[in-house]
Amino acid sequence: MKMAMTTTVPAKRYSNSTYRTIKRMKALGLYAGVAAVLVYMLFPYYWAIVSSTKSGQALYQFSLVPSLDFSNYWQLFHNPVFMGALVNSGLVAFASTMISLVIGILAAYALGRLQLSPGRIILIAVLMISIFPQVVVLSGMFEVIGWLGLYNRPSALIVSYLILTLPFTTWILTSFIRDLPTELEEAALIDGCSRLRVLTHVLLPLMGPAIASAGLLSFILAWNEFLFALTFILTDENRTVPVAIGLLTGSSRYEYPFGQIMAASVTVTLPLLVLVLIFQRKIVAGLTSGAVKG
Amino acid sequence: MASVTLKNVSKAFGAYDVIRSINLEIEDGEFMVFVGPSGCGKSTLLRLIAGLVPVSEGDVFIGGEQVTDVPASKRGLAFVFQSYALYPHMNVSRNISFALETARLGKDEIRRRVTKVAEMLKISHLLDRRPRQLSGGQRQRVAIGRALVGEPEVFLFDEPLSNLDADLRMEMRFEIVKLHGDVKTTMIYVTHDQTEAMTLADRIVILNQGRIEQVGRPRELYDRPANRFVAGFLGSPRMNFAPLDRAASSAGVLRGVGGFYHAAELAGAENPTEIGLRPEALKLVSAETKGAICGTFERMEDLGYEYVCYVRLSETLVWTVRSTGRPPAFTEGQPVGLGWQPESLYLFGEDGRRIDHDSAVQLASGASL
Ligand SMILES: Nc1ncnc2c1ncn2[C@@H]1O[C@H](COP(=O)(O)OP(=O)(O)OP(=O)(O)O)[C@@H](O)[C@H]1O
Ligand SMILES: [Mg+2]
């Protein structure tokens, strides 16, 4: 009787070495899969880099080795329209990011913390706004820009990009604020802080990660935006980079400046890459540890 | 320093009444402890006083002044949270001085006060650290320091020691008593630990389902509980209760479970439905002893300095007996008797209120003569 109770039904199993082999095969499979995905994702960028260093006839030969000819970049940096567009893009993306962060933080504090009864409805409305495709709002936006007298000005883009960046900035920041311990804020209130001081001295310093990711996303979005930039800007000196690249022309009408376009694409990606590298640590870091008993 | 007065204070979250019409006077310099089972509204009541939660009805007075609509930041109180709620991005020194900075005090004054508080709490060597680099006990001290530095009118504590281990809790308890002796500020302290309540309090408020069951000095609550709830809440192990069999009882003779009746003690009491005896009021005696309650011995827990015995009186009723010294040698299932002194018996009426017992005894002795 006792024996019967202690014996377990032996599961069918292979030898230890079989499991070891299986484990290795799995690891191998995983790395192969990762490699395949990486190649698939990175190839277009690599191709752009390779092509950007070729010119003339070399462009039409298939080769995966960059030929280290930087004449495309040289030409590009001496193209006043492109350089102007780079500056415009920087200004527009920076300004719209900053504005959407400021509004987003204030909105998120209200929606995430203050007991507002219409808060839920507002949040859902904000989400609905971000569902509409850009084309739907394009003509309406065009009218608004006209009324505001901003047509063919970079500030038209700053205003219109808010429609794209503000919804998700608000969402990210709202959910982050909700996750911060309420007691921190109550402690600050007890310490005599006004609502604004609570926000600026207690919540903001803790929101670094959320602000970094929301800011980065909206910067990328504004930096890459094409449709509004094409529609609301008429003249070359006010263009932003994505449109400027699309309108790059060669020395003659019949030449398609493929090498230069590739060089421009690479150049445009670099600032984003730098930003991501700077902020990635911030995004990963969890600052709140230690606030509450750990 | 200030008194705190609550007048008909109620709080409802939606349709759910959490605090029901509470009236309470806390005197200047008093150490008041709120205890009660989990979810009874202790924290909510404390937050109402702090102004972190608005009252639904009623008025709050601090130092005789109406503060019902004054925001938390202007009430001049200090609050120590269960989770400490230290600002993680500031070092200890700034955590303590933040309230003073907010109040725009001068730099020298701030430094002087922080140094004084840090010395008092023995955290001077920690001033440059961040909260996450501190142990639980150290965080607790910083939290108290942050409360202390503003020289508040009233201190509010919400279960400040519940995250600490037993030894540290005892040490901090002692320090809080000392602190109160030093600063003599009004303190309101929430806990669900009755040891803390009994040892710290000048007076205890026992809360149950948003109502005050009783307010009084610790000894008073222990010796003369107003009702069955208070009697059962204070004391560990809790008080033994047994219902009285009303049908089988007649004037002067009351029957309870286990086939015992005690005419002498109970005669004259008005309609008691339940008796109560504290575990330490009971003595294990032999089963034949006259007047003893009879039961069977179940098991014993020997804690070294004391022991607790479990005696089964009926199917559903097990009583505890607590005593010090050498544990008796009873075996499981052996019949035993439980003896007690008449004055240690508590009687409870149908509505749970305690029926005054002194008069009952006197009446009884008078009647039997
Ligand atoms: N913001 C809120 N919204 C809705 N209900 C709440 C809120 N805060 C507290 N409650 C409810 O009020 C009741 C009392 O809560 P409270 O925190 O005061 O209990 P407590 O006595 O402090 O309990 P514990 O000992 O567990 O801390 C609980 O039932 C709780 O669910
Ligand atoms: Mg609580």
Side-chain angles (χ1 to χ4, degrees):
Chain A
M1 276 309 286
K2 273 228 155 88
M3 283 295 288
M5 280 174 66
T6 50
T7 45
T8 53
V9 184
K12 209 173 140 228
R13 76 178 185 205
Y14 309 106
S15 73
N16 189 47
S17 62
T18 316
Y19 283 107
R20 189 181 300 160
T21 319
I22 291 177
K23 213 192 269 175
R24 284 194 186 142
M25 296 302 280
K26 275 184 181 165
L28 212 67
L30 180 68
Y31 283 116
V34 168
V37 170
L38 272 183
V39 167
Y40 177 73
M41 307 247 299
L42 292 180
F43 178 75
Y45 296 101
Y46 183 70
W47 187 246
I49 293 173
V50 169
S51 309
S52 72
T53 60
K54 294 178 186 170
S55 52
Q57 281 304 308
L59 271 170
Y60 300 101
Q61 284 149 15
F62 180 82
S63 154
L64 282 179
V65 194
S67 57
L68 300 178
D69 166 6
F70 291 105
S71 62
N72 283 328
Y73 288 95
W74 179 256
Q75 276 180 32
L76 197 66
F77 293 151
H78 285 85
N79 178 345
V81 174
F82 180 78
M83 293 315 278
L86 214 54
V87 173
N88 285 341
S89 264
L91 281 178
V92 166
F94 181 77
S96 61
T97 301
M98 283 303 139
I99 295 174
S100 77
L101 278 182
V102 169
I103 301 178
I105 286 167
L106 292 173
Y109 184 44
L111 295 170
R113 266 304 149 73
L114 311 180
Q115 255 88 46
L116 287 178
S117 44
R120 266 182 64 83
I121 300 167
I122 294 176
L123 265 182
I124 290 171
V126 165
L127 187 64
M128 298 296 271
I129 289 172
S130 56
I131 288 173
F132 291 113
Q134 253 176 295
V135 188
V136 175
V137 288
L138 189 64
S139 64
M141 204 67 208
F142 193 85
E143 292 294 318
V144 173
I145 296 297
W147 290 333
L148 292 176
L150 296 178
Y151 186 64
N152 193 27
R153 289 191 198 173
S155 46
L157 298 183
I158 297 175
V159 170
S160 59
Y161 288 172
L162 286 183
I163 228 181
L164 308 175
T165 57
L166 204 48
F168 74 80
T169 313
T170 308
W171 264 83
I172 292 178
L173 296 175
T174 302
S175 55
F176 193 85
I177 283 191
R178 282 207 174 139
D179 286 347
L180 287 175
T182 340
E183 295 190 341
L184 271 184
E185 208 184 317
E186 291 175 337
L189 286 178
I190 292 278
D191 274 349
C193 295
S194 63
R195 287 278 174 196
L196 192 64
R197 192 171 158 88
V198 172
L199 185 61
T200 55
H201 281 71
V202 176
L203 295 184
L204 268 189
L206 297 175
M207 284 167 65
I211 292 177
S213 37
L216 200 60
L217 284 175
S218 73
F219 190 90
I220 292 173
L221 206 140
W223 182 265
N224 289 336
E225 205 282 335
F226 185 82
L227 188 59
F228 285 173
L230 181 69
T231 317
F232 301 149
I233 301 296
L234 193 65
T235 53
D236 270 351
E237 75 275 10
N238 291 331
R239 288 210 198 287
T240 53
V241 155
V243 181
I245 293 177
L247 300 180
L248 271 182
T249 48
S251 40
S252 74
R253 279 188 64 181
Y254 305 103
E255 188 197 337
Y256 185 59
F258 191 67
Q260 269 200 46
I261 288 178
M262 286 300 142
S265 314
V266 172
T267 312
V268 161
T269 318
L270 281 179
L272 296 184
L273 216 62
V274 171
L275 280 180
V276 170
L277 288 180
I278 290 175
F279 285 113
Q280 60 140 354
R281 304 199 55 158
K282 198 85 176 151
I283 293 170
V284 175
L287 244 171
T288 42
S289 61
V292 178
K293 144 97 179 164
Chain B
M1 294 221 254
S3 61
V4 175
T5 307
L6 303 178
K7 283 202 177 131
N8 292 319
V9 168
S10 300
K11 177 69 193 175
F13 288 111
Y16 181 57
D17 291 326
V18 177
I19 298 293
R20 303 159 201 243
S21 189
I22 282 193
N23 285 295
L24 185 64
E25 292 247 5
I26 300 167
E27 279 157 33
D28 191 1
E30 193 171 23
F31 201 122
M32 186 66 114
V33 174
F34 294 172
V35 278
S38 191
C40 68
K42 307 181 290 290
S43 300
T44 307
L45 190 56
L46 201 66
R47 277 156 194 272
L48 288 174
I49 296 173
L52 292 172
V53 172
V55 299
S56 304
E57 253 172 71
D59 291 302
V60 181
F61 297 84
I62 294 175
E65 274 180 58
Q66 161 92 281
V67 293
T68 314
D69 298 304
V70 176
S73 53
K74 305 280 182 229
R75 289 199 187 183
L77 311 176
F79 202 116
V80 178
F81 294 87
Q82 181 176 358
S83 63
Y84 316 145
L86 300 177
Y87 309 122
H89 57 293
M90 299 180 191
N91 64 18
V92 168
S93 159
R94 269 210 79 202
N95 259 288
I96 296 176
S97 66
F98 186 62
L100 305 181
E101 279 172 37
T102 307
R104 296 173 190 277
L105 259 64
K107 276 223 165 59
D108 295 333
E109 172 70 4
I110 291 181
R111 195 165 322 118
R112 194 181 63 73
R113 285 221 218 165
V114 171
T115 316
K116 191 175 127 203
V117 165
E119 267 165 23
M120 192 166 166
L121 295 168
K122 304 190 198 74
I123 48 173
S124 305
H125 60 296
L126 303 174
L127 287 178
D128 292 328
R129 298 214 200 153
R130 292 286 174 93
R132 66 170 159 276
Q133 299 164 318
L134 301 178
S135 72
Q138 291 169 334
R139 284 180 203 176
Q140 184 55 64
R141 280 166 201 272
V142 176
I144 292 178
R146 186 169 69 176
L148 210 54
V149 79
E151 295 172 3
E153 308 242 4
V154 181
F155 272 100
L156 308 174
F157 296 88
D158 192 357
E159 308 203 21
L161 305 186
S162 59
N163 283 336
L164 303 179
D165 62 44
D167 274 349
L168 203 52
R169 204 180 305 172
M170 203 143 98
E171 189 187 322
M172 290 304 295
R173 203 166 70 207
F174 182 68
E175 295 204 7
I176 290 176
V177 172
K178 218 171 73 194
L179 182 72
H180 183 241
D182 288 346
V183 300
K184 297 190 177 62
T185 310
T186 314
M187 293 191 176
I188 307 177
Y189 188 105
V190 164
T191 178
H192 58 242
D193 179 322
Q194 38 170 302
T195 320
E196 271 173 38
M198 296 296 283
T199 52
L200 288 171
D202 288 332
R203 282 198 299 159
I204 297 179
V205 176
I206 296 196
L207 288 166
N208 183 29
Q209 297 182 352
R211 285 204 185 82
I212 293 182
E213 293 281 352
Q214 194 176 358
V215 186
R217 307 200 159 273
R219 189 30 89 178
E220 197 178 313
L221 296 195
Y222 192 78
D223 286 344
R224 304 175 57 77
N227 53 43
R228 191 185 185 282
F229 180 84
V230 175
F233 188 79
L234 288 181
S236 162
R238 56 189 237 116
M239 186 183 275
N240 299 303
F241 294 101
L244 289 167
D245 186 349
R246 308 252 331 255
S249 308
S250 59
V253 183
L254 294 162
R255 275 173 196 276
V257 286
F260 56 89
Y261 55 88
H262 297 277
E265 289 99 343
L266 298 179
E270 18 149 342
N271 267 341
T273 56
E274 206 167 19
I275 64 167
L277 279 163
R278 292 211 184 269
E280 61 271 20
L282 290 169
K283 258 205 309 285
L284 286 171
V285 294
S286 90
E288 287 84 45
T289 312
K290 203 163 165 288
I293 301 174
C294 301
T296 56
F297 189 83
E298 281 239 318
R299 70 195 161 87
M300 187 197 46
E301 288 167 353
D302 191 352
L303 303 173
Y305 63 96
E306 64 172 18
Y307 60 88
V308 177
C309 294
Y310 295 80
V311 175
R312 182 169 290 281
L313 299 186
S314 75
E315 289 274 299
T316 52
L317 211 58
V318 176
W319 276 19
T320 53
V321 179
R322 194 177 71 170
S323 189
T324 52
R326 294 246 141 240
F330 286 105
T331 52
E332 194 187 318
Q334 189 180 343
V336 290
L338 297 175
W340 74 89
Q341 297 297 315
E343 64 270 18
S344 56
L345 183 79
Y346 292 96
L347 299 178
F348 300 99
E350 192 138 35
D351 54 358
R353 270 189 318 109
R354 183 172 63 87
I355 294 168
D356 218 329
H357 178 51
D358 292 344
S359 62
V361 168
Q362 260 161 24
L363 266 179
S365 46
S368 58
L369 274 174

